[in-house]
Amino acid sequence: MNIKQNRNHRFFITIFILVLMDQILKLIFNAEYYETQSNSNLMSIVTNLIVIIIGIQFINSNNQFVEKKTRTAISFLISGGIANIIDLIFRKQVVKNILIGNKTIINFANIYVLVGWIFMAAIFSAFTVKQYREKRKRK
């Protein structure tokens, strides 16, 4: 097995574990649901699928610039998308909150998406700052 295949296996195992954690928590604890309309469910599924496909294509590309940080951010985004699609298909709604005792915790799938976008924003910001500094040095 070459290095790229090994990275891809770890990437998909990470996604599987995150989605599994989300779904197990929803089965064990009470979950509150967002009120959604059936046509918005289809749109949400399509939107999530597009993001998932683009993320997987990006990871599977032979792009040498896909670093571990970027893979981690994309794995969180894809995990959240898959978990929300599972909710929409099997529960017909997206879980809003998970109730653990008398404490309410936000849906883990939404946390995954939020963490993924925060990682991506940080990565893009760091890259932009690096490019800006290199450009200033050349002048």
Side-chain angles (χ1 to χ4, degrees):
M1 183 181 315
N2 65 28
I3 294 171
K4 183 180 180 234
Q5 288 175 327
N6 190 22
R7 278 189 285 160
N8 284 347
H9 285 132
R10 283 186 289 183
F11 172 73
F12 289 112
I13 288 170
T14 301
I15 291 172
F16 177 77
I17 290 170
L18 289 172
V19 171
L20 188 64
M21 283 176 26
D22 174 75
Q23 294 303 309
I24 288 172
L25 283 170
K26 289 173 186 169
L27 289 174
I28 294 174
F29 300 103
N30 292 329
E32 294 178 14
Y33 296 94
Y34 285 116
E35 295 297 323
T36 58
Q37 299 172 352
S38 61
N39 60 349
S40 68
N41 284 355
L42 179 60
M43 189 59 152
S44 295
I45 290 171
V46 170
T47 305
N48 280 309
L49 281 174
I50 290 170
V51 171
I52 291 166
I53 290 168
I54 290 170
I56 290 173
Q57 286 295 85
F58 184 72
I59 292 301
N60 282 331
S61 71
N62 290 324
N63 190 340
Q64 65 187 19
F65 301 109
V66 180
E67 298 176 348
K68 187 175 184 178
K69 294 179 282 191
T70 308
R71 291 169 108 45
T72 302
I74 292 173
S75 68
F76 273 95
L77 288 170
I78 291 173
S79 298
I82 290 172
N84 280 334
I85 287 175
I86 290 170
D87 288 350
L88 289 168
I89 291 172
F90 294 106
R91 295 179 177 91
K92 305 292 188 236
Q93 302 174 56
V94 174
V95 172
K96 179 171 64 170
N97 296 315
I98 300 169
L99 303 173
I100 300 178
N102 32 341
K103 297 185 186 218
T104 300
I105 298 175
I106 192 168
N107 177 8
F108 274 78
N110 293 343
I111 292 172
Y112 297 158
V113 172
L114 178 65
V115 167
W117 283 119
I118 289 171
F119 278 176
M120 291 300 285
I123 291 165
F124 290 146
S125 297
F127 179 76
T128 303
V129 167
K130 181 180 173 185
Q131 291 295 324
Y132 177 74
R133 287 181 180 159
E134 287 176 5
K135 188 177 181 180
R136 287 189 70 190
K137 277 184 180 179
R138 284 185 247 145
K139 287 185 177 185

